Amino acid sequence: MTTPTPIMPLDDVRIIDLTHMTAGPFGTRILGDYGADVIKIERPETGDPTRSMPPFHKDIPGPERSGLFLFLNTNKRSITLNLKSERGRGLLRDLVRDAHIVVESFAPGTLDALGLGYADLKKINPRLVMTSLTNYGQNGPYRDYLGIELNLYAMGGSMISAGDVDHEPLKTAGRMVSYHAGYVAALASAMGLFQVEFRDAEGDYMDVSIFETAMHSIDMRLGRLMGYQYTGHMASRPARATAVGGGVHPCSDGYFLMTGGPRFIPNIIQMMGMEEMLEQPEWGTPEGRAHPDRIDEFLPHIIPWTLERTKEEVRQAAEKHAVLGAPLNTMEDLFNNEQFVARDYFQEIDHPETGAIKYPGFHNRLHREGADMPPRRRAPLLGEHTEEVLTGILGLTRQDIAALRKDGIV
Amino acid sequence: MTVNDNMNRNGAQRPENPTHPDPGLPLTGLRIIDITVVWAGPYSTMQLADWGAEVVRVESTTYFAATTRGALARPAMASVLAQTTMGMGMPDSEPGERPWNRSSTFNSHGRNKLSMTVNLRTPEGQEALERLVAVSDGLIENNLPQSMDRQGISWERLSQINPRLIMIRMPAFGLDGPYRGYRTWGNHMEAIAGHPLIRTYPDISPEYAPAGVPADAAGGIGAALAFLMGLRYRKRTGKGLLIEAPTAENFVPLLGEFVMDYSMNGRVWTQMGNRHFYLAPHNVYRAQGEDQWVTIACWNEDQWRALCEVIRKPELADDARFCDNASRYENRAELDAVIGAWTADKHASWIMERLQMAGVPSGAVMNERDALEDRQLEHRGYFRPLPHPEAGTHRAPMTPFKSANHPHVGPRRHAPRLGEDNEYIYKTVLGYSDEEYAEFDNKGHIGMDYDPSIP
């Protein structure tokens, strides 16, 4: 008897992916992880701009060598399609007819001008869910403003309170705000699909603004927006140490972030083996520990202690003594981290241009009966699945495709 | 009886909740047990409550989950003021009679949810939990795994009670492995994942690394999505599902290009601050006024030329130091000095508008007041007033995405006061009689106040 292959939640769902760059592809990547058939529509010849963005494998540029592209487009199929041609648009409409979800990240109005907006696509597929992901949303005074990670975080996120009081505010690393918005687009798409399938709704149109997704949540912005209304005080960047024992302390091989405060200081003192301090009223009583002078007084105790230890030694001591803290890891530390290694987090994926290299692993693990998570498929080569998709789904012949190729449609 | 995906289209199977009228939203009729703490977990159940799920927070009058309803149940005035400097705090910086109902953080993510109190360390408390599991669709939690163990909350047990349950567990590092019991907050987990060292200032010690929590937001979105995926899995298989969503594993992909550069090239990025991987200009500049800043970046030569025009230095466009992106990146300290000299005596919002008009990407660093007064958000109807019986009326954001079918999804009901919905949940949802409810009350399960022994 053969056991049927356990299903993934979306393995009967088809997504037409009209996104490019970083936010949209991150969102469809997550839906692909849940099993969806994500058909990525790319511009002929050049493809998604991230194909030409670093980092490249061995620092050698090439459309199949961008780490950013490879990471963002696992579990997808790629077809090329020239949407500036009527035939290209016709093929897209044919693909949309039986798709469940379209996700797109063009500037507002672009698809409408091509006759491919939600109003047009809904006519050929009334149960379609369409998700648009843009910098500021589909309407409003900023609709056509330009956006890049830096300024979207500045406007939407809590940049004003990130960093040190005597220095400039800091963005988050890399493209985190864009990715987060992509994640929200995945949730929006799923909420649309849920309505169609569980609530018998006609399709839905989801409007996702990166600015608004950052404003909603990142760095607990929600709580700060409420806090300002409650108290009239705005969030500010903290000083290096605002709580006794807390802050980033230097170790022999790096740095360690420790949470301090009157509540935690007895544990920190015990961790350091300096219990005799707790016999003094400054440290042994709640009132003593809460005095603001203790913040600076404690630094000459804690810093020599951490400096004599590696950040991992400090981490182990902290865990043992219920002190909240963690090392400031590098990527190298992360790859070698015992927890990530034990859970086999990083996934090796083979690829014709790069060979087998490690990728970030799954966001979530589904504990299906008798089944591990299915392996991820590498990112597609540009147009790798054009023939497979157009013959398999639309029933075109190889001659049809040769003609389309000759005319620059695919 | 478990709520059935197909039967409850009109909420017909669901008993009427007098304090939480059926809003006719997509997730109406689904019930989720919420055992979440701090931020990532509550943010996930907030998404689902916004869209209509009946989210029941399971709380206790005898246990105060740290940093969920504030730092302490009964904080001293100094502690309330300390929160205020972090941009959080309580209305008028007063703890009030019940401080746990006045936390800005809890009241921002608690909206649209219900609260019950029960002591899970007692047999009758465990029985109430079992009854709740039997009539719920999902359970979401983000606790240290061993504290769930101690309360007997495991997939093995709960799926016996309700084989159609969708259980989302969001420990920091996973349900197994050497870090299973390592207690951390979001900022520590992010340090393990490598974020603060990449993010911090380039020219001063990493001792000044900021402690942000972008991971919590993504963790919340991810768990809400996981629940919807679980529902679809259940519809197709008839079975429930355990989904493990460790916040660390959910976060590392948000550092994707750094992971890939290390994996492909062995390159380790640290202390990037506000610089881009390769673009210049790309920085935060001081603007006129106290703690006012503006961001400016260019990703092509047209933008760069437009910037030179606006700052009235058109000759810079062809200056050998700045004539292409590579030169600008190389000479970015000089470039930033020129741009910073132009921004320093101008308002951040004026700079943003002026540059955007000229086609240059720019954004003011918005503080809370700027955000609440922002004209784009105003146009989009992003905030809506929400009254709270113990905190007053304040503006709260709608959902982070807009649906054409349901354009007004957002805050409907205030964040629940501790134990506010006990009567509805015990009697109507769990089916306890008036006498049994009184017995729960006598045994200390029911209440709207923390036990006086809790600080």
Side-chain angles (χ1 to χ4, degrees):
Chain A
M1 196 184 95
T2 54
T3 326
T5 313
I7 67 159
M8 284 297 281
L10 297 182
D11 63 16
D12 57 350
V13 166
R14 179 168 302 144
I15 297 174
I16 304 301
D17 185 358
L18 289 167
T19 67
H20 49 278
M21 295 296 286
T22 54
F26 190 75
T28 53
R29 170 186 184 271
I30 289 167
L31 297 170
D33 281 354
Y34 279 112
D37 177 18
V38 178
I39 299 178
K40 184 177 178 73
I41 313 289
E42 296 195 77
R43 178 196 297 238
E45 293 179 24
T46 50
D48 188 329
T50 53
R51 287 184 181 273
S52 52
M53 287 165 64
F56 296 103
H57 183 243
K58 305 288 180 209
D59 291 327
I60 302 166
E64 311 299 348
R65 304 179 65 83
S66 162
L68 184 62
F69 179 86
L70 294 176
F71 154 67
L72 288 170
N73 293 285
T74 49
N75 277 348
K76 299 179 190 177
R77 299 199 275 176
S78 162
I79 75 166
T80 51
L81 212 50
N82 180 355
L83 298 180
K84 287 182 182 148
S85 71
E86 185 44 45
R87 272 162 76 201
R89 292 194 289 270
L91 290 170
L92 181 72
R93 288 192 193 95
D94 290 343
L95 284 172
V96 167
R97 211 175 301 278
D98 293 319
H100 298 79
I101 297 168
V102 169
V103 189
E104 66 95 9
S105 63
F106 289 103
T110 306
L111 286 181
D112 294 323
L114 291 171
L116 298 172
Y118 179 61
D120 305 298
L121 298 182
K122 191 184 174 179
K123 282 183 203 146
I124 52 178
N125 180 353
R127 284 165 66 86
L128 181 70
V129 174
M130 184 159 171
T131 301
S132 290
L133 175 58
T134 53
N135 291 324
Y136 304 97
Q138 296 294 313
N139 52 39
Y142 299 171
R143 189 188 91 141
D144 300 321
Y145 280 10
L146 297 170
I148 184 170
E149 178 77 19
L150 174 74
N151 75 294
L152 291 166
Y153 179 64
M155 296 166 72
S158 279
M159 182 188 257
I160 191 68
S161 46
D164 177 72
V165 65
D166 295 322
H167 293 84
E168 71 275 18
L170 289 174
K171 74 186 278 284
T172 57
R175 300 172 171 94
M176 195 165 284
V177 169
S178 304
Y179 295 164
H180 178 74
Y183 219 149
V184 173
L187 175 64
S189 304
M191 197 68 78
L193 185 67
F194 179 88
Q195 292 179 59
V196 169
E197 295 187 331
F198 289 66
R199 296 292 182 258
D200 229 2
E202 291 224 326
D204 200 356
Y205 177 73
M206 302 296 190
D207 174 3
V208 185
S209 141
I210 299 178
F211 173 41
E212 289 172 10
T213 60
M215 180 69 72
H216 210 267
S217 54
I218 293 186
D219 301 331
M220 310 200 296
R221 182 91 177 184
L222 277 180
R224 285 171 164 154
L225 289 168
M226 191 66 84
Y228 166 66
Q229 295 181 76
Y230 277 6
T231 67
H233 288 272
M234 287 184 282
S236 53
R237 295 185 296 293
R240 184 188 170 280
T242 53
V244 57
V248 174
H249 303 313
C251 305
S252 64
D253 63 343
Y255 296 87
F256 190 87
L257 164 69
M258 204 175 285
T259 291
R263 202 174 113 212
F264 295 109
I265 203 71
N267 299 50
I268 296 173
I269 288 172
Q270 279 159 6
M271 171 181 79
M272 291 159 57
M274 298 182 181
E275 287 86 347
E276 66 279 5
M277 281 177 78
L278 294 172
E279 287 157 22
Q280 303 162 13
E282 292 95 322
W283 304 103
T285 63
E287 303 76 42
R289 292 195 288 268
H291 195 282
D293 287 352
R294 295 297 99 75
I295 297 175
D296 284 344
E297 286 172 18
F298 197 66
L299 292 175
H301 295 288
I302 183 78
I303 290 177
W305 188 86
T306 55
L307 270 174
E308 280 176 14
R309 289 163 176 81
T310 66
K311 57 187 191 284
E312 175 59 18
E313 284 167 351
V314 176
R315 191 200 72 75
Q316 287 177 16
E319 185 180 355
K320 189 172 160 204
H321 292 274
V323 170
L324 286 167
L328 296 198
N329 278 344
T330 62
M331 273 299 134
E332 184 177 13
D333 296 327
L334 176 63
F335 268 73
N336 296 321
N337 178 281
E338 57 175 325
Q339 173 71 11
F340 286 82
V341 169
R343 281 175 58 85
D344 210 8
Y345 172 72
F346 292 99
Q347 295 175 331
E348 199 163 84
I349 303 178
D350 203 0
H351 184 281
E353 288 254 353
T354 66
I357 53 172
K358 295 219 170 179
Y359 288 65
F362 286 113
H363 292 255
N364 308 311
R365 300 185 190 206
L366 280 58
H367 290 238
R368 300 169 301 161
E369 271 170 46
D372 293 332
M373 290 292 281
R376 271 207 179 104
R377 297 188 314 277
R378 64 163 171 82
L381 309 177
L382 179 59
E384 182 175 356
H385 305 97
T386 303
E387 190 169 309
E388 176 184 303
V389 167
L390 296 185
T391 58
I393 298 176
L394 299 187
L396 270 61
T397 65
R398 296 183 69 177
Q399 288 85 336
D400 294 334
I401 290 163
L404 289 168
R405 222 180 276 282
K406 188 165 147 280
D407 295 342
I409 310 296
V410 301
Chain B
M1 192 192 77
T2 306
V3 179
N4 180 287
D5 299 332
N6 299 313
M7 288 169 67
N8 64 357
R9 183 162 298 155
N10 302 310
Q13 299 297 316
R14 207 180 59 130
E16 181 98 2
N17 170 5
T19 61
H20 193 56
D22 181 348
L25 287 165
L27 303 187
T28 298
L30 294 164
R31 183 176 296 122
I32 295 163
I33 304 168
D34 180 347
I35 312 186
T36 65
V37 292
V38 195
W39 223 87
Y43 190 59
S44 74
T45 53
M46 170 183 161
Q47 309 302 321
L48 301 166
D50 279 0
W51 290 89
E54 185 175 273
V55 171
V56 179
R57 281 193 62 81
V58 176
E59 306 189 75
S60 167
T61 59
T62 53
Y63 171 75
F64 185 79
T67 65
T68 301
R69 281 183 177 272
L72 292 164
R74 295 177 174 86
M77 204 57 208
S79 160
V80 173
L81 292 172
Q83 288 282 306
T84 298
T85 63
M86 292 164 69
M88 292 166 244
M90 297 181 179
D92 306 319
S93 301
E94 291 286 346
E97 207 172 312
R98 289 168 167 155
W100 49 87
N101 295 334
R102 289 165 64 82
S103 148
S104 67
T105 307
F106 181 83
N107 287 352
S108 66
H109 61 55
R111 72 199 203 182
N112 301 334
K113 302 176 189 174
L114 310 184
S115 167
M116 73 177 288
T117 55
V118 62
N119 183 353
L120 293 178
R121 291 170 190 155
T122 63
E124 70 275 10
Q126 285 288 332
E127 199 226 72
L129 177 69
E130 292 198 355
R131 283 203 193 190
L132 186 56
V133 167
V135 296
S136 293
D137 300 277
L139 184 149
I140 304 186
E141 66 86 13
N142 67 325
N143 300 267
L144 200 60
Q146 58 266 45
S147 51
M148 288 292 96
D149 296 347
R150 274 197 297 275
Q151 298 179 60
I153 296 174
S154 69
W155 170 247
E156 289 68 29
R157 175 179 169 216
L158 302 190
S159 61
Q160 290 277 317
I161 298 164
N162 179 355
R164 290 170 56 80
L165 188 73
I166 294 146
M167 185 174 187
I168 315 287
R169 301 195 63 174
M170 312 165 62
F173 297 103
L175 295 174
D176 58 22
Y179 282 16
R180 182 180 200 267
Y182 177 20
R183 184 186 293 272
T184 59
W185 288 345
N187 56 335
H188 312 115
M189 182 278 286
E190 290 178 12
I192 299 276
H195 184 222
L197 195 56
I198 298 172
R199 180 188 199 183
T200 194
Y201 297 98
D203 39 15
I204 57 173
S205 164
E207 289 166 69
Y208 292 87
V213 279
D216 278 12
I221 296 294
L225 175 63
F227 177 72
L228 295 185
M229 294 295 106
L231 287 178
R232 198 165 189 281
Y233 179 89
R234 181 174 86 176
K235 185 172 186 168
R236 295 173 67 200
T237 62
K239 290 181 199 159
L241 185 65
L242 168 64
I243 302 180
E244 188 186 359
T247 51
E249 295 183 355
N250 195 63
F251 181 59
V252 170
L254 273 73
L255 295 164
E257 55 269 52
F258 300 100
V259 173
M260 297 303 289
D261 209 3
Y262 179 74
S263 159
M264 297 189 307
N265 302 314
R267 188 175 288 121
V268 171
W269 291 86
T270 59
Q271 297 191 255
M272 288 185 77
N274 291 315
R275 79 175 157 110
H276 190 267
F277 296 97
Y278 53 88
L279 291 176
H282 183 280
N283 213 337
V284 177
Y285 303 91
R286 194 180 284 281
Q288 188 184 60
E290 171 91 18
D291 206 23
Q292 297 290 309
W293 306 84
V294 66
T295 54
I296 300 172
C298 295
W299 66 73
N300 62 38
E301 295 310 301
D302 287 348
Q303 293 170 357
W304 164 240
R305 288 183 175 273
L307 174 62
C308 293
E309 291 292 334
V310 175
I311 69 172
R312 296 176 190 241
K313 291 194 184 296
E315 69 280 5
L316 287 185
D318 299 309
D319 189 309
R321 293 168 300 165
F322 309 130
C323 63
D324 57 29
N325 182 65
S327 308
R328 289 193 294 275
Y329 196 76
E330 177 78 25
N331 298 305
R332 61 185 183 274
E334 279 179 83
L335 177 64
D336 285 340
V338 173
I339 297 171
W342 179 76
T343 59
D345 62 353
K346 297 170 185 69
H347 285 290
S349 60
W350 182 88
I351 295 168
M352 170 175 90
E353 299 287 356
R354 181 69 189 84
L355 289 176
Q356 286 282 3
M357 288 301 163
V360 180
S362 174
V365 179
M366 289 192 184
N367 61 31
E368 287 76 9
R369 184 179 57 222
D370 297 332
L372 285 157
E373 292 174 0
D374 181 73
R375 64 193 183 109
Q376 173 73 5
L377 299 177
E378 175 72 31
H379 180 94
R380 304 257 297 166
Y382 189 70
F383 294 107
R384 175 192 288 172
L386 179 65
H388 184 293
E390 292 183 28
T393 298
H394 301 91
R395 292 161 74 207
M398 308 294 272
T399 50
F401 59 91
K402 278 174 175 288
S403 147
N405 289 352
H406 299 279
H408 305 296
V409 181
R412 303 182 300 278
R413 184 210 193 214
H414 61 270
R417 293 174 290 168
L418 180 72
E420 180 162 6
D421 304 290
N422 274 328
E423 191 157 355
Y424 162 72
I425 292 162
Y426 276 93
K427 293 184 185 172
T428 313
V429 176
L430 305 183
Y432 287 111
S433 67
D434 291 348
E435 294 71 34
E436 286 168 319
Y437 184 72
E439 188 62 20
F440 272 104
D441 197 359
N442 287 337
K443 288 186 169 167
H445 294 272
I446 309 286
M448 292 186 73
D449 293 281
Y450 284 103
D451 190 271
S453 66
I454 291 176

